[in-house]
Amino acid sequence: MNAEAAFQGRTLVIVDDDAVNMGVITDYLETFDLRILTALDGQDALETVRAAQPDLILLDVVMPGLDGWEVCRRLKAEPATCEIPVIFMTALASTEDKLKGFEAGGVDYVTKPVRQEELLARVRTHLKIRQLTQGLQVQNARLEKMANELEGLYRQAARSNEQLEHMVHQRTRELEEAYRMLEMMDKAKADFIQVAAHELRTPLTLIEGYGVLIEEEAECSPGLKRLVEGILTGERRLHEIVANILDVSKIESQVLQVSKDPVQMLDIFEGLRSQFESILRERRLELTMSGLDGLPALLADAELLTRMFQHLLVNAIKYTPDSGSITVRGSLVEEGGNPWLEIVVQDTGIGIDPAYHELIFASFYQTGEARFHSSGKTKFKGGGPGLGLAIARGIVQAHGGRIWVESPGHDEASCPGSAFHVMLPVLEAS
Ligand code: ADP
């Protein structure tokens, strides 16, 4: 037997009404590893092919009853058999006859009398093509299956996506609602602070008024005078705190009124120097100023700027140990093609950890622990309510400027110091 891979386990149906021709071909092809089935007429051929589902059909054209062309047409019309290749065996040699065979669905033809080698070559070729086609069909089916699975996954992903979107929408709605509530609560808090601060100012003014009267009456009673002075000092500190709270609430609700008048930095700092003179002396702190006298005037709110630098100086005093120094430097700089005043308030104090450089500008924020809080306004490390820098930033921003701090870190032993930078736009140079 001539074993050939293309033939192994393959089934051939040979259809011919001429038993002699059939015998010759069958005998020859059976020497190869092929399974051969035979049919003697068209009807027989249809039944055999339907039942056996062969890999190739050799089909005689001229037969009594159904001829080869009709058999081929019927096979091609049935889904179960339409893929099986048909090779015609024909004694009719005209081009028209060959064309008729191709039109009926044949893939090839051999002419009778059949030459065995030629027949074998064609059988081999078409079995190979059939094998490749079947391989492709398997691949195709696999690909189709994968495509279906992918589609399933895609649909699943789309469903998950929809669910996620729904959750995100719901979350967004919840967050919007929470935000609205927070806004309302924030507004209520700001309103309360403003009303409370206003209400506190009235009794404080009364205390101050009566205190001053008692102070005058107590001229000849040093003991009483000292007591009243104590009351008045506490009252003034309380007054300042209430004023700070009011400032912060105005800044936070963006209702801070800023007037625009020509302001000289030197004037502001001369005023502040005399205001802090006795404290500086008491704490043996040196205050030096440079570069302030040559600066152009700003169109700004002198009172607000004074309050802002007052907070910076109070902090510099508070966070610098006795015998330290505070330096105020002014300069005219250019940024973005515009002139700006840069004022730096630098101290030789305990410094600020870079992690807090932004946080300290938030309202009510203080570094360190509240339980170590001391309320002395200018005592070393005497904390305040944590409003000074929030007010300072609010005032600077209301003037279109910027404020930030530079400090290598916090160290109460080595005192690395802090430098607060204030940049104010020179809206109109005078
Ligand atoms: P406070 O009323 O606590 O002084 P501030 O808003 O003025 O509030 O300052 C916030 C915090 O920033 C302070 O508690 C302090 O820790 C830190 N701070 C501010 N200025 C200085 C400074 N010059 N040196 C060191 N720390 C400072």
Side-chain angles (χ1 to χ4, degrees):
M1 185 169 295
N2 299 306
E4 219 179 281
F7 297 156
Q8 256 169 26
R10 295 298 170 130
T11 304
L12 232 80
V13 169
I14 303 173
V15 187
D16 203 335
D17 61 330
D18 176 350
V20 178
N21 186 47
M22 170 89 92
V24 172
I25 301 170
T26 310
D27 288 349
Y28 175 63
L29 290 179
E30 265 177 352
T31 62
F32 298 89
D33 199 5
L34 281 164
R35 181 173 159 238
I36 310 276
L37 301 172
T38 57
L40 290 169
D41 58 43
Q43 197 54 47
D44 188 11
L46 287 176
E47 278 156 27
T48 311
V49 168
R50 279 179 197 136
Q53 293 288 313
D55 297 290
L56 189 64
I57 302 165
L58 292 179
L59 185 56
D60 188 20
V61 174
V62 183
M63 288 184 294
L66 292 177
D67 64 20
W69 294 322
E70 185 51 31
V71 171
C72 189
R73 257 181 241 115
R74 290 194 188 182
L75 289 174
K76 294 295 155 190
E78 288 176 29
T81 53
C82 68
E83 301 283 342
I84 304 169
V86 173
I87 298 177
F88 281 110
M89 297 185 291
T90 175
L92 309 167
S94 77
T95 309
E96 203 180 317
D97 288 327
K98 290 172 194 163
L99 271 179
K100 220 168 160 187
F102 285 120
E103 276 164 14
V107 290
D108 211 346
Y109 65 89
V110 284
T111 45
K112 278 182 169 178
V114 173
R115 278 180 298 277
Q116 292 181 334
E117 284 76 19
E118 186 192 340
L119 177 67
L120 184 69
R122 289 184 196 263
V123 166
R124 182 187 289 125
T125 304
H126 287 290
L127 280 177
K128 270 213 173 116
I129 293 175
R130 170 91 171 133
Q131 198 177 7
L132 290 173
T133 314
Q134 280 174 332
L136 277 176
Q137 277 167 346
V138 170
Q139 293 284 8
N140 236 10
R142 241 183 249 156
L143 281 173
E144 223 165 87
K145 192 167 162 248
M146 278 165 69
N148 282 340
E149 280 170 7
L150 272 175
E151 206 182 307
L153 284 172
Y154 175 78
R155 266 199 229 109
Q156 205 172 320
R159 266 199 305 278
S160 307
N161 212 24
E162 239 169 60
Q163 277 169 353
L164 258 177
E165 248 168 56
H166 179 72
M167 276 163 70
V168 167
H169 266 119
Q170 200 168 327
R171 244 309 132 83
T172 310
R173 270 202 304 277
E174 282 168 16
L175 281 175
E176 275 169 2
E177 181 61 15
Y179 183 74
R180 221 173 45 81
M181 285 291 290
L182 275 177
E183 258 186 346
M184 273 164 57
M185 281 158 69
D186 207 47
K187 166 104 182 31
K189 183 198 83 182
D191 288 351
F192 170 76
I193 289 177
Q194 216 154 343
V195 170
H198 272 297
E199 290 301 319
L200 279 172
R201 275 213 301 210
T202 317
L204 282 175
T205 312
L206 269 179
I207 294 171
E208 185 175 16
Y210 284 117
V212 171
L213 284 178
I214 298 171
E215 200 178 25
E216 283 167 12
E217 294 284 321
E219 263 324 311
C220 5
S221 166
L224 185 60
K225 194 164 189 279
R226 217 180 46 250
L227 291 178
V228 172
E229 272 168 6
I231 290 174
L232 282 175
T233 308
E235 183 279 329
R236 279 179 199 126
R237 177 90 183 101
L238 211 52
H239 216 105
E240 265 174 29
I241 292 170
V242 170
N244 283 347
I245 292 175
L246 262 179
D247 274 351
V248 144
S249 80
K250 278 188 210 156
I251 287 165
E252 284 187 354
S253 33
Q254 295 170 343
V255 293
L256 190 71
Q257 302 275 336
V258 181
S259 67
K260 294 274 161 71
D261 295 302
V263 177
Q264 284 291 348
M265 279 301 141
L266 189 63
D267 296 344
I268 289 183
F269 280 97
E270 287 302 348
L272 287 171
R273 182 201 282 282
S274 55
Q275 189 184 327
F276 289 115
E277 211 161 22
S278 64
I279 295 153
L280 290 166
R281 203 176 320 114
E282 199 180 296
R283 298 269 325 276
R284 296 189 306 283
L285 295 169
E286 189 189 5
L287 173 64
T288 39
M289 298 184 190
S290 65
L292 295 176
D293 46 356
L295 297 178
L298 285 182
L299 264 190
D301 190 312
E303 200 189 314
L304 286 179
L305 287 188
T306 305
R307 286 223 292 274
M308 185 265 292
F309 285 119
Q310 200 172 21
H311 286 297
L312 297 188
L313 282 178
V314 164
N315 281 347
I317 294 169
K318 253 187 338 193
Y319 298 105
T320 302
D322 292 1
S323 308
S325 57
I326 297 163
T327 315
V328 178
R329 283 190 314 272
S331 55
L332 182 63
V333 293
E334 205 196 275
E335 208 182 75
N338 295 313
W340 293 72
L341 289 195
E342 181 171 18
I343 313 291
V344 183
V345 179
Q346 187 157 14
D347 59 50
T348 57
I350 57 176
I352 303 163
D353 186 329
Y356 299 112
H357 284 187
E358 261 308 301
L359 277 174
I360 53 172
F361 290 96
S363 310
F364 301 108
Y365 187 84
Q366 304 164 317
T367 60
E369 287 182 52
R371 63 197 169 97
F372 297 135
H373 188 93
S374 132
S375 56
K377 183 182 164 185
T378 47
K379 266 167 67 179
F380 178 47
K381 293 200 289 169
L387 293 176
L389 291 179
I391 294 171
R393 177 165 273 181
I395 292 175
V396 172
Q397 286 176 343
H399 281 83
R402 298 193 322 270
I403 180 170
W404 71 96
V405 67
E406 288 175 10
S407 170
H410 176 97
D411 188 333
E412 295 187 16
S414 67
C415 283
S418 311
F420 283 82
H421 292 246
V422 176
M423 289 277 280
L424 293 166
V426 180
L427 297 176
E428 272 178 30
S430 62

